[in-house]
């Protein structure tokens, strides 16, 4: 039994040495890292600016309408405050209710406007992100990057590929 253990010992030692060499070679191969500042893609790219302009045009009429309603409400409120002391109780109550209803309508309309605007911006950002992701994959493959990060506390400009992605996104 001692003979079989001692006879296989050189084989195990050779296998162990081979594994150690392979591990050492794998550890010496440097990893290549890239970094993308995604917020810049969402604000500086031509695609993002075009999306912002499109959304602005799409929502400008609604925003104007809301502003007009707010102006009308403020004017009615100011008139009510000056007239209230001289109004009969029934008229004062009617106008106060009218103001309250209008204020609720304004708040509802503003909330719906914000929600719709946020949704549209999210849709456009998702579209940009989808296109950017494909470009990130292409550039990572071309430059043989092992990993591309998008969030970090600090990044060396040497590994920042944001400008490359912006150029490709703007084509």
């Amino acid at each position: 039994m001692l003979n079989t253990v001692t006879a296989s010992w050189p084989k195990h030692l050779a296998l162990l040495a081979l594994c150690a060499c392979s591990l050492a070679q794998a550890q010496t191969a440097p990893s290549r890292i890239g970094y993308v500042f995604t917020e810049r893609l969402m604000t500086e790219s031509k695609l993002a600016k075009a999306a912002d302009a499109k959304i602005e045009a799409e929502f400008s009429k609604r925003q104007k309408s809301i502003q007009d309603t707010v102006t009308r409400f403020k004017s009615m409120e100011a008139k009510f405050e000056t007239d209230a002391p001289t109004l009969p109780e029934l008229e004062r109550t009617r106008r106060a209710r009218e103001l309250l209803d209008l204020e609720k309508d304004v708040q509802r309309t503003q909330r719906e406007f914000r929600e719709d605007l946020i949704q549209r911006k999210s849709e456009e950002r998702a579209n940009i992100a989808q296109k950017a992701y494909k470009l990130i994959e292409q550039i990572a493959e071309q430059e043989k990057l092992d990993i591309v990060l998008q969030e970090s506390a600090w990044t060396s400009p040497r590994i920042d590929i944001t400008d490359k992605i912006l150029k490709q996104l703007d084509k």
Side-chain angles (χ1 to χ4, degrees), residues 107-154:
Q107 289 174 354
R108 179 187 47 79
T109 306
Q110 287 175 327
R111 184 186 70 248
E112 289 172 355
F113 176 82
R114 281 190 307 270
E115 289 169 356
D116 291 348
L117 183 62
I118 289 168
Q119 181 179 348
R120 279 294 290 127
K121 283 184 177 184
S122 294
E123 290 169 0
E124 290 297 330
R125 279 184 162 235
N127 182 32
I128 295 167
Q130 184 179 22
K131 290 176 182 178
Y133 181 77
K134 289 177 184 175
L135 293 171
I136 291 168
E137 282 182 321
Q138 289 173 1
I139 289 176
E141 192 174 305
Q142 289 168 357
E143 295 190 10
K144 297 180 179 18
L145 299 175
D146 295 316
I147 188 170
V148 176
L149 305 172
Q150 68 178 22
E151 296 293 329
S152 71
W154 179 85

Side-chain angles (χ1 to χ4, degrees), residues 4-167:
T4 57
V5 171
T6 55
S8 65
W9 184 76
K11 290 180 189 174
H12 291 303
L13 187 59
L15 185 59
L16 186 60
L18 182 61
C19 287
C21 287
S22 297
L23 185 60
Q25 285 178 352
Q27 289 177 344
T28 59
S31 294
R32 295 209 13 131
I33 298 173
Y35 172 77
V36 176
F37 187 40
T38 52
E39 190 57 32
R40 280 188 58 206
L41 301 179
M42 299 300 169
T43 58
E44 295 179 18
S45 68
K46 288 179 184 174
L47 203 55
K49 290 176 182 174
D52 287 345
K54 179 179 170 184
I55 290 170
E56 175 70 29
E58 192 176 312
F59 283 83
S60 64
K61 287 182 183 177
R62 275 178 69 185
Q63 187 173 20
K64 172 89 169 88
S65 173
I66 291 170
Q67 287 172 342
D68 290 347
T69 306
V70 167
T71 303
R72 186 176 58 134
F73 169 75
K74 286 181 179 180
S75 141
M76 287 174 65
E77 186 179 42
K79 182 162 176 38
F80 175 72
E81 287 177 8
T82 58
D83 294 349
T86 62
L87 290 174
E89 183 67 31
L90 192 58
E91 180 65 15
R92 187 171 42 239
T93 304
R94 185 190 66 74
R95 285 179 56 185
R97 189 175 307 124
E98 191 177 292
L99 275 173
L100 186 61
D101 289 345
L102 184 57
E103 182 179 30
K104 285 179 184 177
D105 284 346
V106 166
Q107 289 174 354
R108 179 187 47 79
T109 306
Q110 287 175 327
R111 184 186 70 248
E112 289 172 355
F113 176 82
R114 281 190 307 270
E115 289 169 356
D116 291 348
L117 183 62
I118 289 168
Q119 181 179 348
R120 279 294 290 127
K121 283 184 177 184
S122 294
E123 290 169 0
E124 290 297 330
R125 279 184 162 235
N127 182 32
I128 295 167
Q130 184 179 22
K131 290 176 182 178
Y133 181 77
K134 289 177 184 175
L135 293 171
I136 291 168
E137 282 182 321
Q138 289 173 1
I139 289 176
E141 192 174 305
Q142 289 168 357
E143 295 190 10
K144 297 180 179 18
L145 299 175
D146 295 316
I147 188 170
V148 176
L149 305 172
Q150 68 178 22
E151 296 293 329
S152 71
W154 179 85
T155 305
S156 168
R158 182 174 45 83
I159 66 168
D160 190 346
I161 62 171
T162 306
D163 288 334
K164 292 176 185 176
I165 303 298
L166 276 170
K167 286 178 188 172

